[in-house]
Amino acid sequence: MATKALLIVNARYLDPALNLCTGNILIKNGIIEKISPDPICIDRDHACINADKLIASPGLINAHTHLPMVLFRGLGDGYPLDQWLHKVIFPMEAQLTPEDVYAASMLAIAESIHAGCTCLADMYFFVEEIARAVDVSGIRAALSLGLVAMNGEKGLQDAEAFYKTYHQSSNSRISVHLAPHAIYTCPREYLKEIVTLSTYLDSKIHIHINETKKEIDDHFATYHQHPIETMHEIGLFERPVLAAHCVHLSDHEIKLLSEAKNFLLVHNPSSNMKLASGIAPIAKYHEKKIPLALGTDGAASNNNLNIFLELRLASLLANVSQMDAGTLSSKDMFRMASSNPGRFLGPEKLGIIEEKAPADVILIDLDESHCLPHHNILSNLLYAVKGSEVDTMIVNGQVIMKNKVICSFDETEIKRNFLRISQKFKPV
Ligand SMILES: [Zn+2]
């Protein structure tokens, strides 16, 4: 992919160690070609952004979401997970059409872009429509077709076909994972088939694990072991696994995850609080060196797609749940939204600002009153920023938002279409 060069001049940027440096950043062919404190020359017809009033940060990564669920935002508040799913979500999902999924995905991506998210990991259905939205929008995504046992062989065939068609598509911005929804919807034998398919395709796996106490108790009553012990037995952790939630883990389960070959635990603080699922003890997981990331989950259980807000909540919750204000450092926390998921999702160096890294960069305007002074930029990004300060977004070397206006699609039209479609989904 040959593109024009883009030069960001006079940027204060976060280096791979998350220290604040100043320099000029040259972007070419989708990657960060050069970073230098000295002037960099480019041809006159190449683009240049003066960033002297902006902070350049790695684009944030939302490592677990269900984009089309923005259609259900505000519906079904007040239920715990099992009732929320069966009384509210599943009946509405049964009405969804491919057109609805595309319209909702575009809206969700617009929301994500405004909040600084350059890359996300999604699990849903009508996934071809989500891939189309990702392609049009210019963001990066790991997409997956959510599988439940009732899909049977047809589900596996559809997931394989989706993988073969879309993995590494759209200039490699789209990757594809296999997504068994959870062990309570994909019992042992079906999950085993998915692991076999993942080995055959060499694909990664995206799954929900141990979100609520109820699902763990139900599993124990049937199998006389904890869910992660069953998953371990059937070889799930021989594969690269991205697991959302992991709210309630036994010490043995934590040990198994810490020994997994390539594992990413995605913390979803807002969703876990909203559905009263609990608080994942991430300080304990961090101590055991389990790689951590952050996700919003779907907008129906959050109710937004804003990783800056998840960063703030995750930091505060980690402190208060341990009654210790220094359980994870600011850098540890910020890595949960950048280099940790970047390392799992790829390509190499995703989630950092460094030469040869993918050019996924956001420029943030920290000149607003609530972001002053700049004694500690990382602290401002964790605790003070709301997401709306993101001014410019570059993904794979392409500018997809500038001066807070999305350039890759017409957001006004997307909102209009989305509101029209949303009319058919009524509160229960
Ligand atoms: Zn989820």
Side-chain angles (χ1 to χ4, degrees):
M1 180 194 56
T3 53
K4 279 188 177 179
L6 168 67
L7 182 64
I8 304 172
V9 294
N10 302 321
R12 283 185 293 162
Y13 68 93
L14 291 168
D15 74 3
L18 298 179
N19 295 320
L20 199 64
C21 304
T22 303
N24 304 299
I25 302 170
L26 177 66
I27 290 169
K28 211 172 177 181
N29 298 327
I31 62 161
I32 297 173
E33 176 102 349
K34 188 175 179 182
I35 303 177
S36 172
D38 302 320
I40 298 174
C41 291
I42 54 168
D43 293 342
R44 195 176 291 179
D45 64 332
H46 289 171
C48 187
I49 297 175
N50 187 349
D52 61 353
K53 292 199 166 38
L54 304 167
I55 301 291
S57 159
L60 300 192
I61 298 176
N62 184 353
H64 177 67
T65 190
H66 312 282
L67 291 175
M69 294 184 86
V70 288
L71 270 172
F72 312 139
R73 189 183 342 244
L75 301 181
D77 291 356
Y79 288 106
L81 179 70
D82 60 330
Q83 291 180 39
W84 176 79
L85 279 174
H86 290 96
K87 286 190 173 172
V88 184
I89 298 302
F90 290 159
M92 288 195 294
E93 285 185 333
Q95 299 176 50
L96 282 173
T97 66
E99 184 198 8
D100 299 340
V101 166
Y102 177 75
S105 298
M106 288 303 293
L107 192 281
I109 290 170
E111 179 184 357
S112 301
I113 291 172
H114 283 297
C117 169
T118 52
C119 174
L120 52 90
D122 194 82
M123 176 200 294
Y124 214 63
F125 51 93
F126 294 136
V127 274
E128 291 81 2
E129 298 300 318
I130 304 175
R132 188 157 69 92
V134 170
D135 182 56
V136 166
S137 69
I139 64 158
R140 191 183 299 279
L143 303 180
S144 53
L145 172 64
L147 293 167
V148 294
M150 71 172 84
N151 299 140
E153 283 303 311
K154 171 85 169 63
L156 300 179
Q157 287 162 11
D158 290 348
E160 181 176 348
F162 181 61
Y163 181 89
K164 287 181 170 167
T165 308
Y166 288 93
H167 187 58
Q168 298 302 324
S169 64
S170 299
N171 288 322
S172 298
R173 281 188 292 109
I174 295 179
S175 54
V176 176
H177 297 170
L178 292 185
H181 169 262
I183 197 154
Y184 60 88
T185 45
C186 297
R188 197 183 165 102
E189 286 313 308
Y190 196 62
L191 192 55
K192 213 168 162 179
E193 283 190 67
I194 295 170
V195 171
T196 305
L197 181 59
S198 157
T199 307
Y200 163 69
L201 295 173
D202 195 25
S203 70
K204 294 171 183 160
I205 289 178
H206 185 163
I207 186 171
H208 298 90
I209 292 183
N210 290 19
E211 182 172 359
T212 64
K213 282 209 166 105
K214 182 183 181 307
E215 73 192 61
I216 298 164
D217 293 344
D218 290 350
H219 185 88
F220 202 90
T222 308
Y223 295 99
H224 309 295
Q225 59 183 180
H226 289 108
I228 289 171
E229 292 165 343
T230 307
M231 295 177 201
H232 179 260
E233 254 179 31
I234 62 173
L236 179 73
F237 302 111
E238 297 298 311
R239 304 297 314 148
V241 174
L242 178 162
H245 302 300
C246 299
V247 178
H248 309 281
L249 304 183
S250 69
D251 286 345
H252 185 228
E253 289 180 300
I254 293 173
K255 183 169 181 292
L256 291 174
L257 294 186
S258 69
E259 292 167 356
K261 281 181 181 168
N262 186 2
F263 182 78
L264 184 70
L265 188 155
V266 184
H267 181 36
N268 301 88
S270 294
S271 176
N272 295 155
M273 285 194 281
K274 184 156 190 274
L275 297 175
S277 301
I279 304 171
I282 58 167
K284 200 169 167 184
Y285 304 159
H286 177 70
E287 208 177 279
K288 299 292 180 190
K289 302 200 175 351
I290 296 173
L292 300 172
L294 279 174
T296 57
D297 213 351
S301 65
N302 188 300
N303 288 0
N304 61 47
L305 304 174
N306 187 325
I307 286 293
F308 276 114
L309 297 186
E310 299 301 315
L311 262 176
R312 175 181 158 84
L313 277 176
S315 304
L316 299 176
L317 270 179
N319 290 355
V320 79
S321 62
Q322 298 287 308
M323 291 308 284
D324 178 347
T327 52
L328 285 107
S329 70
S330 301
K331 290 182 177 183
D332 291 331
M333 291 305 310
F334 195 79
R335 286 187 187 106
M336 287 177 66
S338 52
S339 56
N340 289 358
R343 198 172 301 117
F344 181 89
L345 295 170
E348 204 181 335
K349 296 192 178 188
L350 182 67
I352 57 174
I353 295 182
E354 190 177 46
E355 290 181 359
K356 307 304 170 203
D360 291 16
V361 177
I362 52 176
L363 302 177
I364 310 168
D365 180 2
L366 294 188
D367 201 31
E368 296 190 26
S369 306
H370 63 280
C371 300
L372 297 174
H374 293 173
H375 291 318
N376 183 341
I377 292 291
L378 205 54
S379 174
N380 285 2
L381 292 180
L382 280 185
Y383 295 114
V385 158
K386 299 168 184 170
S388 55
E389 304 82 354
V390 177
D391 177 271
T392 297
M393 176 174 287
I394 299 154
V395 180
N396 217 27
Q398 303 286 335
V399 178
I400 63 172
M401 180 169 73
K402 196 168 180 191
N403 301 328
K404 304 191 182 182
V405 176
I406 295 175
C407 341
S408 50
F409 56 88
D410 180 349
E411 188 178 3
T412 306
E413 179 55 33
I414 291 301
K415 283 159 75 174
R416 191 181 299 128
N417 192 34
F418 173 78
L419 282 174
R420 178 181 63 78
I421 280 171
S422 69
Q423 300 303 316
K424 71 175 172 183
F425 298 97
K426 303 290 181 204
V428 287

